């Protein structure tokens, strides 16, 4: 007979694996690392590890995997949110002799091979994206077998489980179902570096559903049987094991935090151009929007810096190449959105945020990309802007839909009685495809719908709209935004402030703690001087008006279901047009956001085109030089004077007549009807408006300038352009003040 290894033997073996993993003989496990490994391997418990970036969370699950595999356990399943993270994890696993594979959207051709290797026992670690968990084939055919045979389940970036977290992802909610299906005794590890106490409690609750307490009602979360390292566990007799919660200090001793507050966009761009070369090593310049990454990268390249733009819209092959270029130091910086975030593992010397994220927790997550590995000192600079709040509000508007829209979706699915694809469902519900898809994922986890081959189907189960919870989440988001604004003007230690926002127990126990490294502590001196030449160059770049307006190419699917007989490719009536700027742009975007802002009563201000935008329009036209014979304006219910003034000014400047309008024929259809859904929008615009010309032949053979104030969905101008094409126009060029995209 063989005896089970003792805890001492297991720890000794764990440290052998650690030395192989890091390639050094002088390393040992942190006590909390061993506590987590022991909980998983010796006690077969569930654990939540909330520790700073670089603490060694991946070492915990790789070492636990090796120990469990030596004991005959099945492979570890790691749920990992980002492909970049998967690549790094597989490379780390291979260094320790761990056979790791992944199943994700980029290696479909390898899935059969991967599944065969798993069945043959040739895989130690399988990494899957959370989206795979709800793929019908994977969920129904592969996942049950994995749940029955895996030796360890790991949930990386576990704050994504919680809708209280800064990066909630509906696909992560499927993990709750997976946890319920695990056989007794399968250990579970959840890890994150960015969770405050509210998120920690929520994740812990999902890891271990409240069990029956003998002789007493189930306690609330804050008094139940979750053991927190460093605090005694509540003395409750339970029918299920405790969740071990390990929360350590979130101080990052390598980071030097600072804020540079400048008044104008050109000053912020100029500061970046003047001081980017001073930042140590290579790093990331974070922007809040895709458009800003392109604009900033273009400007910095014009000033001689080696930078590149990176966002969720960057093609996958290019993203891989850019990530490697940053790791290798071939570029000074990637100018990126938060798409370059969780899991990107590189030794970076700095992070600059051009615009503030909407919460201290999200900010801590982004700055955590710097100062890892052998980097002893990393510079972290925040350049906030007034317009940050406008962008926060825009993203907040994409929250979970109103109850009536959810009920409408459920009713459509129930009435259909068969699976419907998202594309088929979209024309029937006034939601954009992304919001509809996100909502359906939440409803799937809630049990009201089910994802199947062919789309979504109703389960017929009763569903409750948790308005109180959604309201609390919204209130929490607003509080986090206020906390981010307070951070900007705070005179206290920057790192202490962020750690308190994350409810770091170490700093809460020592209220007087300071980092000694930030600008407020005196450890970082940021030069705010900007060369006049740089400011002028930035101002010139930002003042340069003109962004392309790309015409729509295809009619939305499902239009016949809403009474519109259009489908397929759109006749090439619209050519590429122009706008002065995007509303999110750094330069003219500010003036456009002010122009289109609604008052407290929801009403729009109206009046002639502001002088600054009129001058920008003239400059853009002088650069674009469109060849047109006539102008047609889009009637506006909200800003009629603005559009009329724009059309008449263009007529005088270009010396071509205004020959008609895309006129409001049915004012009972609200101006914004269907604005979030393409099919609904086409239907609404078709009912609301039509072409009205000064005479029937006014546009025959003409090149027409089609004028409106704002390009939002693009469907108004597309329908107007199609009508002009049918009326004989040879070409239609859209021209607007601004675009929302």
């Amino acid at each position: 007979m063989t005896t089970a290894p003792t805890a001492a033997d297991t720890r000794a073996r764990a440290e052998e694996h650690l030395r192989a993993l890091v390639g050094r003989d002088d390393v040992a496990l942190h006590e909390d690392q061993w506590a987590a490994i022991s909980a998983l391997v010796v006690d077969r418990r569930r654990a939540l590890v909330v520790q700073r970036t670089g603490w060694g969370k991946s070492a915990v699950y790789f070492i636990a995997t090796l120990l469990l595999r030596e004991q005959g356990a099945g492979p570890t399943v790691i749920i990992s949110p980002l492909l970049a993270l998967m690549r790094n994890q597989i490379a780390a696993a291979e260094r320790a002799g761990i056979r790791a594979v992944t199943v994700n959207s980029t290696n479909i051709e390898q899935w059969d091979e991967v599944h065969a290797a798993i069945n043959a026992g040739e895989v130690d670690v399988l990494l899957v994206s959370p989206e795979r968990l709800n793929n019908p084939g994977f969920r129904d055919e592969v996942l049950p077998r994995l749940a029955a045979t895996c030796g360890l389940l790991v949930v990386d970036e576990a704050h994504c489980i919680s809708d209280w977290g800064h990066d909630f992802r509906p696909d992560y909610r499927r993990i709750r179902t997976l946890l319920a299906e695990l056989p007794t005794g399968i250990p579970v590890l959840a890890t994150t570096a960015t969770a405050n106490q509210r998120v920690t409690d929520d994740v812990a609750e999902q890891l271990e559903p409240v069990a029956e307490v003998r002789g007493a009602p189930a306690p609330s979360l804050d008094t139940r049987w979750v053991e927190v390292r460093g605090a005694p566990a509540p003395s409750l007799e339970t029918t299920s094991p405790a969740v071990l919660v390990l929360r350590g200090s979130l101080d990052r001793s390598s980071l030097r935090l600072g804020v540079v507050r400048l008044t104008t966009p050109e000053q912020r761009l100029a500061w970046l151009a003047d001081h980017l070369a001073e930042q140590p090593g290579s790093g990331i310049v974070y922007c809040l929007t895709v458009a800003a990454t392109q604009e900033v990268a273009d400007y910095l390249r014009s000033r001689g810096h080696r930078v590149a733009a990176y966002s969720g819209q960057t093609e996958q092959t290019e993203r891989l190449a850019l990530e490697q270029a940053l790791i290798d130091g071939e570029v000074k910086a990637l100018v990126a959105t938060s798409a370059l975030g969780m899991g990107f593992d590189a030794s970076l010397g700095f992070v600059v945020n051009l615009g503030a994220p909407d919460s201290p927790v999200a900010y801590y997550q982004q700055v955590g990309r710097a100062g890892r590995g052998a980097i002893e000192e990393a510079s972290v600079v925040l350049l906030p802007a007034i317009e940050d709040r406008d962008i926060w509000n825009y993203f907040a508007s994409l929250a979970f839909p109103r109850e009536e829209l959810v009920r409408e979706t459920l009713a459509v699915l129930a009435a259909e009685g068969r699976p419907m694809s998202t594309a088929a469902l979209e024309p029937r519900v006034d939601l954009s495809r992304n919001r509809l898809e996100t909502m359906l994922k939440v409803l799937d986890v809630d049990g009201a719908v089910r994802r199947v081959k062919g789309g979504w189907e109703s389960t017929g189960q009763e569903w409750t709209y948790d308005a109180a919870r959604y309201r609390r989440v919204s209130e929490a988001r607003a509080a986090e935004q206020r906390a981010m604004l307070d951070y900007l003007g705070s005179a206290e230690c920057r790192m202490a402030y962020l750690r308190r926002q994350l409810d770091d127990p170490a700093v809460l126990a020592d209220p007087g703690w300071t980092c000694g490294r930030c600008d407020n502590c005196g450890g970082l001196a940021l030069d705010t001087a900007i060369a006049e030449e740089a400011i002028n160059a930035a101002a010139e770049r930002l003042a340069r008006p003109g962004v392309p307006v790309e015409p729509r190419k295809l009619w939305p699917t499902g239009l016949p279901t809403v009474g519109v007989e259009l489908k397929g490719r759109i006749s090439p009536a619209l050519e590429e047009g122009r706008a002065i700027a995007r509303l999110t742009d750094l330069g003219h975007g500010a003036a456009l956001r002010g122009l289109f802002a609604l008052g407290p009563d929801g009403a729009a201000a109206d009046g002639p085109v502001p002088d600054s935008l009129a001058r920008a329009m003239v400059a853009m036209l002088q650069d674009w030089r469109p060849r047109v014979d006539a102008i047609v304006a889009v009637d506006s219910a909200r800003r009629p004077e603005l559009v009329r003034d724009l059309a008449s000014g263009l007529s005088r400047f270009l010396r071509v007549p205004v020959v008609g309008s895309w006129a409001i024929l049915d004012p009972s259809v609200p101006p914004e009807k269907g604005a979030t859904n393409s099919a609904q929008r086409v239907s609404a615009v078709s009912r609301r408006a039509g072409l009205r010309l000064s005479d029937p032949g006014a546009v025959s053979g003409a090149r027409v300038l089609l004028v409106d104030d704002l390009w939002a969905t693009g469907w108004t101008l597309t329908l107007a352009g199609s009508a002009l094409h049918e009326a004989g126009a040879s070409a239609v060029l859209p021209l607007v003040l601004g675009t929302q995209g």
Side-chain angles (χ1 to χ4, degrees):
M1 293 181 60
T2 59
T3 59
T6 65
D9 292 337
T10 303
R11 180 163 188 170
R13 185 67 177 138
E15 295 195 329
E16 289 179 24
H17 289 312
L18 176 67
R19 289 189 285 274
L21 186 66
V22 301
R24 290 170 50 190
D25 293 330
D26 59 343
V27 294
L29 292 166
H30 307 313
E31 285 305 312
D32 275 2
Q33 283 179 315
W34 167 243
I37 293 169
S38 177
L40 299 170
V41 177
V42 178
D43 302 327
R44 305 295 177 97
R45 295 172 64 187
R46 296 183 175 187
L48 169 59
V49 173
V50 183
Q51 298 282 0
R52 68 183 181 274
T53 298
W55 175 86
K57 296 182 287 294
S58 61
V60 169
Y61 50 73
F62 283 141
I63 292 170
T65 293
L66 290 165
L67 295 172
L68 289 166
R69 293 289 277 164
E70 288 172 353
Q71 297 175 15
T76 291
V77 176
I78 301 178
I79 300 168
S80 184
L82 292 178
L83 296 179
L85 180 56
M86 289 186 185
R87 292 190 297 274
N88 292 332
Q89 288 171 322
I90 289 175
E94 289 174 348
R95 289 195 296 269
I98 298 172
R99 299 166 296 178
V101 295
T102 178
V103 173
N104 62 68
S105 59
T106 68
N107 69 342
I108 296 174
E109 71 284 352
Q110 299 174 12
W111 287 2
D112 290 342
E113 180 184 337
V114 169
H115 295 158
I118 294 170
N119 292 336
E122 299 170 352
V123 170
D124 298 315
V125 171
L126 172 66
L127 295 105
V128 298
S129 66
E131 290 76 18
R132 285 293 96 204
L133 300 180
N134 204 30
N135 173 274
F138 188 87
R139 181 195 63 208
D140 298 335
E141 299 165 19
V142 180
L143 197 57
R145 186 167 65 251
L146 285 177
T149 61
C150 79
L152 169 66
L153 177 67
V154 178
V155 183
D156 214 352
E157 306 295 351
H159 59 272
C160 296
I161 294 176
S162 173
D163 55 7
W164 298 104
H166 74 276
D167 198 16
F168 165 65
R169 300 188 180 190
D171 289 298
Y172 258 71
R173 296 187 64 173
R174 173 60 53 189
I175 294 169
R176 298 187 69 172
T177 304
L178 177 57
L179 289 170
E181 295 171 353
L182 287 176
T184 302
I186 301 298
V188 177
L189 173 67
T191 68
T192 181
T194 49
N196 57 23
Q197 192 60 48
R198 182 172 55 241
V199 173
T200 300
D201 290 345
D202 192 22
V203 174
E205 183 179 34
Q206 295 184 55
L207 285 178
E208 180 63 54
V210 175
E212 174 189 356
V213 180
R214 300 191 186 110
S220 61
L221 178 63
D222 57 356
T223 60
R224 68 186 193 78
W225 51 92
V226 176
E227 177 191 346
V228 180
R229 186 73 174 175
S235 55
L236 294 172
E237 184 181 4
T238 74
T239 59
S240 67
V243 174
L244 174 66
V245 179
L246 292 165
R247 291 201 60 172
S249 167
L250 297 180
D251 181 31
R252 295 285 310 283
S253 60
S254 61
L255 300 186
R256 300 177 300 158
L257 301 165
V259 176
V260 175
R261 305 192 73 170
L262 299 169
T263 306
T264 64
E266 54 265 32
Q267 288 176 338
R268 289 187 288 277
L269 263 187
W271 186 94
L272 189 57
D274 274 4
H275 298 285
L276 183 61
E278 300 168 4
Q279 307 307 312
S282 295
I284 302 172
V285 176
Y286 276 115
C287 299
L288 297 184
T289 67
V290 173
T293 65
Q294 298 163 345
E295 188 175 14
V296 173
D298 180 57
Y299 169 71
L300 290 175
R301 282 193 296 267
S302 74
R303 295 293 307 279
H305 295 289
R306 291 178 299 119
V307 301
Y310 180 111
S311 73
Q313 295 182 11
T314 306
E315 194 273 331
Q316 178 62 21
T317 302
E318 185 182 359
R319 288 175 73 164
L320 295 177
L322 290 175
E323 290 169 13
Q324 195 60 49
L326 182 61
I327 290 170
D328 295 341
E330 295 174 1
V331 293
K332 180 65 177 179
L334 291 185
V335 184
T337 64
S338 58
L340 185 65
M342 288 186 301
F344 180 72
D345 190 4
S347 296
L348 301 181
F350 69 90
V351 165
V352 175
N353 282 77
L354 198 62
D358 63 356
S359 77
V361 180
Y363 183 58
Y364 179 88
Q365 194 275 328
Q366 289 186 3
V367 302
R369 297 306 100 213
R372 305 182 68 173
I375 302 295
E376 295 183 358
E377 289 190 352
S379 174
V380 175
V381 182
L382 176 56
L383 295 157
I386 295 297
E387 56 264 27
D388 295 346
R389 277 165 274 190
D390 296 330
I391 298 171
W392 298 349
N393 291 336
Y394 168 74
F395 288 118
S397 72
L398 305 181
F400 197 71
R402 303 187 310 275
E403 181 173 5
E404 57 266 30
L405 291 172
V406 184
R407 298 285 180 199
E408 182 181 342
T409 306
L410 293 173
V412 170
L413 284 172
E416 191 70 20
R418 60 183 177 84
M420 295 183 70
S421 67
T422 308
L425 185 57
E426 183 183 10
R428 310 274 291 275
V429 184
D430 193 8
L431 287 170
S432 67
R433 184 168 299 189
N434 286 342
R435 288 191 75 197
L436 178 60
E437 186 85 17
T438 299
M439 181 188 74
L440 288 167
K441 289 175 180 178
V442 173
L443 294 175
D444 186 359
V445 176
D446 289 346
V449 304
R450 176 176 170 82
R451 189 170 197 163
V452 296
K453 290 182 178 179
W456 305 88
E457 65 180 7
S458 171
T459 64
Q461 292 185 23
E462 184 177 351
W463 178 80
T464 302
Y465 187 87
D466 194 350
R469 182 174 180 84
Y470 299 139
R471 184 178 63 254
R472 290 195 301 271
V473 170
S474 179
E475 291 170 351
R477 295 281 186 272
E480 289 171 349
Q481 290 183 6
R482 291 193 296 271
M484 193 67 226
L485 294 174
D486 289 343
Y487 173 83
L488 304 178
S490 175
E492 62 183 296
C493 171
R494 303 280 186 198
M495 182 59 74
Y497 186 97
L498 293 179
R499 290 175 65 188
R500 272 195 295 275
Q501 288 298 313
L502 275 89
D503 301 316
D504 183 337
V507 81
L508 293 177
D510 184 10
W513 180 89
T514 58
C515 72
R517 305 180 302 269
C518 69
D519 57 350
N520 286 340
C521 288
L524 175 65
L526 290 169
D527 184 0
T528 59
I530 313 170
E532 192 67 28
E533 176 190 356
I535 295 176
N536 292 338
E540 180 182 352
R541 179 57 61 99
L542 293 175
R544 186 182 303 166
V547 295
V549 172
E550 297 289 345
R552 292 279 191 171
K553 300 292 194 303
L554 295 170
W555 293 111
T557 56
L559 282 176
T561 65
V562 292
V564 179
E565 296 301 323
L566 294 170
K567 63 180 180 179
R569 294 192 65 82
I570 299 171
S571 62
L574 288 182
E575 294 186 359
E576 182 181 272
R578 287 291 187 276
I580 292 174
R582 308 172 190 90
L583 267 65
T584 55
D585 282 350
L586 300 176
H588 294 290
L592 289 167
R593 286 191 298 272
L595 179 66
F596 293 114
L598 300 180
D601 58 353
D606 192 20
V609 178
D611 289 345
S612 63
L613 293 176
R615 289 192 296 272
M617 177 64 74
V618 168
M620 183 181 70
L621 290 169
Q622 290 172 333
D623 181 58
W624 183 28
R625 297 185 181 278
R627 184 173 61 82
V628 294
D629 308 303
I631 294 173
V632 170
V634 175
D635 282 355
S636 173
R638 284 187 162 177
R639 301 179 182 87
E641 185 180 352
L642 178 68
V643 177
R644 283 196 300 267
D645 183 62
L646 175 60
S648 63
L650 290 168
S651 177
R652 292 191 300 273
F653 181 78
L654 296 173
R655 298 182 181 179
V656 295
V658 177
V659 299
S661 66
W662 181 248
I664 298 171
L665 304 180
D666 183 358
S668 68
V669 180
E672 303 301 323
K673 176 69 175 175
T676 61
N677 177 284
S678 290
Q680 297 277 341
R681 184 61 179 161
V682 170
S683 173
V685 174
S686 298
R687 300 194 312 272
R688 175 178 170 78
L691 186 61
R692 183 178 290 161
L693 298 174
S694 56
D695 70 71
V699 297
S700 180
R703 292 176 59 84
V704 178
L705 193 68
L706 180 59
V707 176
D708 200 0
D709 56 352
L710 182 67
W711 176 283
T713 66
W715 289 118
T716 295
L717 291 173
T718 299
L719 286 162
S722 294
L724 284 165
H725 183 69
E726 291 176 5
S730 63
V732 181
L733 289 71
L735 178 65
V736 294
L737 292 171
T739 71
Q740 286 189 342

